[in-house]
Short mmCIF file of all heavy atoms in Angstrom, two decimals:
data_model
loop_
_atom_site.label_atom_id
_atom_site.label_comp_id
_atom_site.label_asym_id
_atom_site.label_seq_id
_atom_site.Cartn_x
_atom_site.Cartn_y
_atom_site.Cartn_z
N PRO A 1 -22.37 26.09 47.19
CA PRO A 1 -22.01 24.66 47.09
C PRO A 1 -22.43 24.02 45.75
O PRO A 1 -21.66 23.13 45.28
CB PRO A 1 -22.84 24.02 48.24
CG PRO A 1 -22.95 25.13 49.26
CD PRO A 1 -23.12 26.40 48.43
N GLN A 2 -23.42 24.48 45.09
CA GLN A 2 -23.80 23.95 43.80
C GLN A 2 -22.72 24.27 42.78
O GLN A 2 -22.66 23.65 41.71
CB GLN A 2 -25.13 24.53 43.35
CG GLN A 2 -26.35 24.13 44.23
CD GLN A 2 -26.61 25.06 45.38
OE1 GLN A 2 -25.68 25.48 46.05
NE2 GLN A 2 -27.86 25.47 45.50
N GLN A 3 -21.88 25.26 43.02
CA GLN A 3 -20.77 25.68 42.14
C GLN A 3 -19.47 25.11 42.52
O GLN A 3 -18.43 25.45 42.02
CB GLN A 3 -20.71 27.20 42.12
CG GLN A 3 -21.96 27.95 41.71
CD GLN A 3 -21.90 29.50 42.01
OE1 GLN A 3 -20.85 30.07 41.99
NE2 GLN A 3 -23.08 30.11 42.20
N GLY A 4 -19.51 24.18 43.54
CA GLY A 4 -18.26 23.60 44.03
C GLY A 4 -17.44 24.41 44.92
O GLY A 4 -16.25 24.21 45.10
N LYS A 5 -18.12 25.46 45.51
CA LYS A 5 -17.40 26.34 46.46
C LYS A 5 -18.12 26.34 47.79
O LYS A 5 -19.29 25.99 47.89
CB LYS A 5 -17.39 27.81 45.91
CG LYS A 5 -16.74 27.99 44.56
CD LYS A 5 -16.88 29.38 44.06
CE LYS A 5 -16.29 29.56 42.63
NZ LYS A 5 -16.49 30.90 42.08
N TRP A 6 -17.37 26.71 48.85
CA TRP A 6 -17.93 26.66 50.18
C TRP A 6 -17.58 27.99 50.89
O TRP A 6 -16.40 28.29 51.04
CB TRP A 6 -17.53 25.47 51.04
CG TRP A 6 -18.44 25.11 52.15
CD1 TRP A 6 -18.47 25.70 53.33
CD2 TRP A 6 -19.52 24.18 52.08
NE1 TRP A 6 -19.52 25.15 54.11
CE2 TRP A 6 -20.16 24.18 53.30
CE3 TRP A 6 -19.99 23.35 51.05
CZ2 TRP A 6 -21.34 23.39 53.60
CZ3 TRP A 6 -21.11 22.53 51.34
CH2 TRP A 6 -21.68 22.57 52.58
N PRO A 7 -18.56 28.75 51.42
CA PRO A 7 -18.29 30.00 52.14
C PRO A 7 -17.53 29.76 53.40
O PRO A 7 -17.90 28.86 54.21
CB PRO A 7 -19.65 30.66 52.30
CG PRO A 7 -20.63 29.51 52.26
CD PRO A 7 -20.04 28.45 51.31
N CYS A 8 -16.48 30.60 53.65
CA CYS A 8 -15.65 30.49 54.83
C CYS A 8 -15.53 31.94 55.45
O CYS A 8 -15.44 32.94 54.69
CB CYS A 8 -14.32 29.96 54.55
SG CYS A 8 -14.25 28.35 53.82
N LEU A 9 -15.34 32.00 56.73
CA LEU A 9 -15.08 33.28 57.41
C LEU A 9 -13.91 33.06 58.32
O LEU A 9 -13.98 32.29 59.33
CB LEU A 9 -16.29 33.72 58.21
CG LEU A 9 -16.11 35.06 58.92
CD1 LEU A 9 -15.84 36.26 57.96
CD2 LEU A 9 -17.33 35.40 59.75
N PHE A 10 -12.74 33.68 57.96
CA PHE A 10 -11.56 33.50 58.77
C PHE A 10 -11.23 34.90 59.40
O PHE A 10 -10.98 35.82 58.66
CB PHE A 10 -10.40 32.96 57.98
CG PHE A 10 -10.63 31.66 57.30
CD1 PHE A 10 -10.18 31.42 56.01
CD2 PHE A 10 -11.32 30.67 57.97
CE1 PHE A 10 -10.50 30.20 55.36
CE2 PHE A 10 -11.55 29.45 57.35
CZ PHE A 10 -11.11 29.19 56.07
N THR A 11 -11.22 35.02 60.68
CA THR A 11 -10.96 36.25 61.38
C THR A 11 -9.98 36.13 62.50
O THR A 11 -9.84 34.98 63.09
CB THR A 11 -12.32 36.87 61.98
OG1 THR A 11 -12.86 35.87 62.91
CG2 THR A 11 -13.28 37.11 60.83
N PRO A 12 -9.31 37.22 62.92
CA PRO A 12 -8.36 37.10 64.05
C PRO A 12 -9.17 36.73 65.30
O PRO A 12 -10.29 37.10 65.49
CB PRO A 12 -7.79 38.48 64.10
CG PRO A 12 -7.98 39.12 62.78
CD PRO A 12 -9.22 38.54 62.32
N SER A 13 -8.42 36.01 66.24
CA SER A 13 -9.02 35.65 67.50
C SER A 13 -9.12 36.82 68.41
O SER A 13 -8.10 37.60 68.58
CB SER A 13 -8.19 34.50 68.14
OG SER A 13 -8.71 34.21 69.45
N ASN A 14 -10.26 37.00 69.12
CA ASN A 14 -10.42 38.16 69.98
C ASN A 14 -11.26 37.74 71.23
O ASN A 14 -11.91 38.55 71.86
CB ASN A 14 -11.07 39.31 69.30
CG ASN A 14 -12.50 38.97 68.77
OD1 ASN A 14 -12.94 37.88 68.87
ND2 ASN A 14 -13.20 40.03 68.34
N THR A 15 -11.19 36.43 71.56
CA THR A 15 -12.00 35.93 72.69
C THR A 15 -11.05 35.60 73.91
O THR A 15 -9.85 35.40 73.81
CB THR A 15 -12.76 34.69 72.33
OG1 THR A 15 -11.83 33.72 71.78
CG2 THR A 15 -13.83 35.02 71.30
N THR A 16 -11.69 35.58 75.09
CA THR A 16 -10.96 35.31 76.34
C THR A 16 -10.31 33.94 76.34
O THR A 16 -10.90 33.00 75.88
CB THR A 16 -11.97 35.39 77.54
OG1 THR A 16 -12.45 36.77 77.61
CG2 THR A 16 -11.28 35.06 78.81
N GLY A 17 -9.07 33.87 76.74
CA GLY A 17 -8.46 32.54 77.03
C GLY A 17 -7.70 31.93 75.91
O GLY A 17 -7.20 30.83 76.10
N GLU A 18 -7.56 32.55 74.76
CA GLU A 18 -6.90 31.90 73.60
C GLU A 18 -5.46 32.39 73.55
O GLU A 18 -5.16 33.56 73.55
CB GLU A 18 -7.63 32.28 72.32
CG GLU A 18 -9.01 31.62 72.22
CD GLU A 18 -9.03 30.15 72.19
OE1 GLU A 18 -8.00 29.53 71.81
OE2 GLU A 18 -10.02 29.62 72.49
N LYS A 19 -4.56 31.39 73.49
CA LYS A 19 -3.14 31.68 73.25
C LYS A 19 -2.86 31.69 71.77
O LYS A 19 -3.43 30.97 71.01
CB LYS A 19 -2.29 30.52 73.83
CG LYS A 19 -1.80 30.73 75.26
CD LYS A 19 -0.92 29.61 75.67
CE LYS A 19 -0.38 29.75 77.04
NZ LYS A 19 0.48 28.62 77.49
N ASP A 20 -1.93 32.56 71.32
CA ASP A 20 -1.47 32.55 69.97
C ASP A 20 -0.67 31.32 69.59
O ASP A 20 -0.52 30.98 68.45
CB ASP A 20 -0.63 33.81 69.67
CG ASP A 20 -1.43 35.11 69.78
OD1 ASP A 20 -2.64 35.03 69.66
OD2 ASP A 20 -0.81 36.17 70.06
N PHE A 21 -0.09 30.68 70.61
CA PHE A 21 0.79 29.51 70.37
C PHE A 21 0.60 28.47 71.46
O PHE A 21 -0.14 28.75 72.49
CB PHE A 21 2.24 29.94 70.36
CG PHE A 21 2.66 30.64 71.68
CD1 PHE A 21 3.28 29.92 72.67
CD2 PHE A 21 2.38 31.93 71.88
CE1 PHE A 21 3.57 30.43 73.87
CE2 PHE A 21 2.75 32.53 73.13
CZ PHE A 21 3.34 31.78 74.11
N GLU A 22 1.22 27.33 71.34
CA GLU A 22 1.12 26.28 72.32
C GLU A 22 2.49 25.98 72.89
O GLU A 22 3.46 26.00 72.20
CB GLU A 22 0.48 24.99 71.66
CG GLU A 22 -1.02 24.99 71.71
CD GLU A 22 -1.51 23.65 71.19
OE1 GLU A 22 -1.15 23.34 70.06
OE2 GLU A 22 -2.35 23.03 71.88
N GLU A 23 2.44 25.48 74.15
CA GLU A 23 3.64 25.00 74.80
C GLU A 23 3.23 23.87 75.70
O GLU A 23 2.22 23.90 76.32
CB GLU A 23 4.34 26.14 75.58
CG GLU A 23 3.44 26.92 76.48
CD GLU A 23 4.00 28.24 76.98
OE1 GLU A 23 5.27 28.41 77.03
OE2 GLU A 23 3.23 29.09 77.36
N PHE A 24 4.23 22.93 75.94
CA PHE A 24 3.94 21.76 76.74
C PHE A 24 4.70 21.76 78.05
O PHE A 24 4.44 20.94 78.91
CB PHE A 24 4.30 20.50 75.90
CG PHE A 24 3.49 20.33 74.78
CD1 PHE A 24 3.90 20.65 73.49
CD2 PHE A 24 2.14 19.80 74.89
CE1 PHE A 24 3.10 20.42 72.39
CE2 PHE A 24 1.36 19.62 73.74
CZ PHE A 24 1.83 19.95 72.48
N PHE A 25 5.67 22.66 78.23
CA PHE A 25 6.36 22.74 79.49
C PHE A 25 6.88 24.17 79.68
O PHE A 25 6.89 24.99 78.73
CB PHE A 25 7.56 21.78 79.50
CG PHE A 25 8.49 21.90 78.35
CD1 PHE A 25 9.58 22.77 78.40
CD2 PHE A 25 8.33 21.15 77.21
CE1 PHE A 25 10.46 22.87 77.36
CE2 PHE A 25 9.13 21.27 76.15
CZ PHE A 25 10.26 22.14 76.19
N THR A 26 7.22 24.49 80.90
CA THR A 26 7.69 25.88 81.25
C THR A 26 9.21 25.88 81.40
O THR A 26 9.91 24.82 81.50
CB THR A 26 7.05 26.38 82.51
OG1 THR A 26 7.52 25.63 83.62
CG2 THR A 26 5.52 26.25 82.38
N SER A 27 9.79 27.03 81.39
CA SER A 27 11.25 27.19 81.48
C SER A 27 11.86 26.67 82.79
O SER A 27 13.01 26.41 82.86
CB SER A 27 11.62 28.68 81.25
OG SER A 27 11.00 29.48 82.20
N ASN A 28 11.00 26.58 83.88
CA ASN A 28 11.51 26.18 85.12
C ASN A 28 11.17 24.72 85.43
O ASN A 28 11.41 24.25 86.59
CB ASN A 28 11.08 27.09 86.27
CG ASN A 28 9.54 27.12 86.38
OD1 ASN A 28 8.81 26.44 85.61
ND2 ASN A 28 9.01 27.92 87.26
N GLU A 29 10.72 23.98 84.46
CA GLU A 29 10.45 22.49 84.67
C GLU A 29 11.61 21.69 84.14
O GLU A 29 12.22 22.05 83.15
CB GLU A 29 9.13 22.15 83.98
CG GLU A 29 7.92 22.67 84.66
CD GLU A 29 6.56 22.33 83.97
OE1 GLU A 29 6.51 22.35 82.74
OE2 GLU A 29 5.60 22.02 84.73
N THR A 30 11.87 20.57 84.79
CA THR A 30 12.95 19.65 84.34
C THR A 30 12.36 18.73 83.34
O THR A 30 11.37 17.99 83.55
CB THR A 30 13.48 18.83 85.54
OG1 THR A 30 13.93 19.80 86.60
CG2 THR A 30 14.57 17.88 85.16
N ILE A 31 13.08 18.59 82.18
CA ILE A 31 12.62 17.88 81.04
C ILE A 31 13.52 16.73 80.66
O ILE A 31 14.71 16.85 80.64
CB ILE A 31 12.43 18.80 79.82
CG1 ILE A 31 11.62 20.03 80.14
CG2 ILE A 31 11.75 18.00 78.61
CD1 ILE A 31 10.22 19.73 80.66
N ASP A 32 12.92 15.56 80.38
CA ASP A 32 13.64 14.36 79.89
C ASP A 32 13.19 14.15 78.43
O ASP A 32 12.02 13.82 78.15
CB ASP A 32 13.31 13.12 80.69
CG ASP A 32 13.96 11.82 80.15
OD1 ASP A 32 14.66 11.92 79.07
OD2 ASP A 32 13.80 10.77 80.73
N LEU A 33 14.14 14.47 77.47
CA LEU A 33 13.80 14.32 76.08
C LEU A 33 14.43 13.10 75.40
O LEU A 33 14.50 12.91 74.27
CB LEU A 33 14.24 15.54 75.22
CG LEU A 33 13.49 16.86 75.68
CD1 LEU A 33 14.08 18.00 74.87
CD2 LEU A 33 12.04 16.74 75.33
N ASP A 34 15.05 12.20 76.27
CA ASP A 34 15.87 11.12 75.79
C ASP A 34 15.24 9.71 75.85
O ASP A 34 15.54 8.83 75.12
CB ASP A 34 17.22 11.09 76.57
CG ASP A 34 18.01 12.30 76.34
OD1 ASP A 34 17.99 12.87 75.24
OD2 ASP A 34 18.67 12.73 77.31
N ARG A 35 14.27 9.52 76.79
CA ARG A 35 13.78 8.18 77.05
C ARG A 35 12.98 7.61 75.83
O ARG A 35 13.04 6.48 75.49
CB ARG A 35 12.89 8.21 78.28
CG ARG A 35 12.39 6.76 78.64
CD ARG A 35 11.58 6.69 79.86
NE ARG A 35 11.01 5.32 80.03
CZ ARG A 35 10.07 5.05 80.90
NH1 ARG A 35 9.49 5.99 81.64
NH2 ARG A 35 9.60 3.85 80.95
N PHE A 36 12.17 8.49 75.21
CA PHE A 36 11.35 8.12 74.05
C PHE A 36 11.76 9.00 72.87
O PHE A 36 12.25 10.07 72.99
CB PHE A 36 9.86 8.31 74.35
CG PHE A 36 9.35 7.42 75.44
CD1 PHE A 36 9.23 7.92 76.77
CD2 PHE A 36 8.97 6.12 75.16
CE1 PHE A 36 8.84 7.16 77.77
CE2 PHE A 36 8.49 5.34 76.24
CZ PHE A 36 8.38 5.86 77.52
N GLN A 37 11.49 8.44 71.66
CA GLN A 37 11.80 9.22 70.44
C GLN A 37 10.97 10.41 70.23
O GLN A 37 11.45 11.51 69.92
CB GLN A 37 11.75 8.26 69.23
CG GLN A 37 12.01 9.02 67.89
CD GLN A 37 12.17 8.05 66.73
OE1 GLN A 37 12.90 7.01 66.81
NE2 GLN A 37 11.59 8.37 65.63
N ASN A 38 9.64 10.23 70.40
CA ASN A 38 8.72 11.39 70.11
C ASN A 38 7.84 11.74 71.32
O ASN A 38 6.76 12.31 71.12
CB ASN A 38 7.83 10.92 68.87
CG ASN A 38 8.60 11.07 67.62
OD1 ASN A 38 9.30 12.07 67.36
ND2 ASN A 38 8.50 10.14 66.80
N LEU A 39 8.32 11.43 72.45
CA LEU A 39 7.65 11.88 73.69
C LEU A 39 8.64 12.54 74.63
O LEU A 39 9.82 12.03 74.77
CB LEU A 39 7.02 10.69 74.48
CG LEU A 39 5.75 10.05 73.90
CD1 LEU A 39 5.35 8.81 74.62
CD2 LEU A 39 4.54 11.07 73.90
N GLY A 40 8.20 13.60 75.22
CA GLY A 40 9.05 14.22 76.25
C GLY A 40 8.39 14.00 77.66
O GLY A 40 7.19 13.59 77.67
N ILE A 41 9.17 14.14 78.68
CA ILE A 41 8.65 13.93 80.01
C ILE A 41 9.00 15.09 80.94
O ILE A 41 10.22 15.40 81.00
CB ILE A 41 9.08 12.66 80.64
CG1 ILE A 41 8.84 11.40 79.69
CG2 ILE A 41 8.48 12.42 82.00
CD1 ILE A 41 9.51 10.12 80.18
N VAL A 42 8.04 15.69 81.60
CA VAL A 42 8.34 16.60 82.66
C VAL A 42 8.55 15.88 83.92
O VAL A 42 7.66 15.04 84.36
CB VAL A 42 7.19 17.60 82.86
CG1 VAL A 42 7.53 18.65 84.06
CG2 VAL A 42 6.91 18.42 81.65
N LYS A 43 9.76 15.94 84.51
CA LYS A 43 10.11 15.19 85.78
C LYS A 43 9.85 16.09 86.98
O LYS A 43 10.29 17.27 87.03
CB LYS A 43 11.58 14.83 85.70
CG LYS A 43 11.98 13.95 84.53
CD LYS A 43 11.27 12.63 84.39
CE LYS A 43 11.75 11.64 85.43
NZ LYS A 43 11.15 10.27 85.28
N ASN A 44 9.09 15.57 87.94
CA ASN A 44 8.65 16.36 89.10
C ASN A 44 9.10 15.75 90.36
O ASN A 44 9.11 14.45 90.52
CB ASN A 44 7.13 16.49 89.08
CG ASN A 44 6.58 17.36 87.98
OD1 ASN A 44 6.69 18.55 88.01
ND2 ASN A 44 6.05 16.69 86.94
N GLY A 45 9.38 16.58 91.31
CA GLY A 45 9.64 16.15 92.67
C GLY A 45 8.44 16.59 93.53
O GLY A 45 7.52 17.18 93.02
N LEU A 46 8.48 16.23 94.80
CA LEU A 46 7.42 16.63 95.71
C LEU A 46 7.57 18.17 96.02
O LEU A 46 8.69 18.63 96.28
CB LEU A 46 7.49 15.81 97.00
CG LEU A 46 6.93 14.45 96.95
CD1 LEU A 46 7.25 13.65 98.21
CD2 LEU A 46 5.43 14.47 96.71
N ALA A 47 6.48 18.89 96.03
CA ALA A 47 6.49 20.24 96.28
C ALA A 47 5.81 20.48 97.64
O ALA A 47 4.88 19.83 97.96
CB ALA A 47 5.79 21.08 95.16
#
């Protein structure tokens, strides 16, 4: 730090429960992408 540098350690993930990517809905869910500009909605019925 006195030299204006900061040590970092970046390694591949190898722990339980981590996804490589993110998703907000599944292929079998009904989606409304029209009501809002930057919000989507999963539309659900009673199961």
Side-chain angles (χ1 to χ4, degrees):
Q2 294 92 311
Q3 304 169 25
K5 301 175 183 177
W6 203 274
C8 301
L9 181 62
F10 303 140
T11 58
S13 175
N14 62 351
T15 53
T16 298
E18 292 296 338
K19 268 185 178 178
D20 293 336
F21 59 94
E22 271 183 309
E23 53 194 334
F24 295 101
F25 54 90
T26 66
S27 58
N28 58 2
E29 289 179 320
T30 302
I31 307 301
D32 177 359
L33 296 176
D34 299 324
R35 185 178 173 196
F36 296 96
Q37 178 169 314
N38 283 315
L39 286 172
I41 306 172
V42 179
K43 304 296 290 186
N44 291 284
L46 282 171

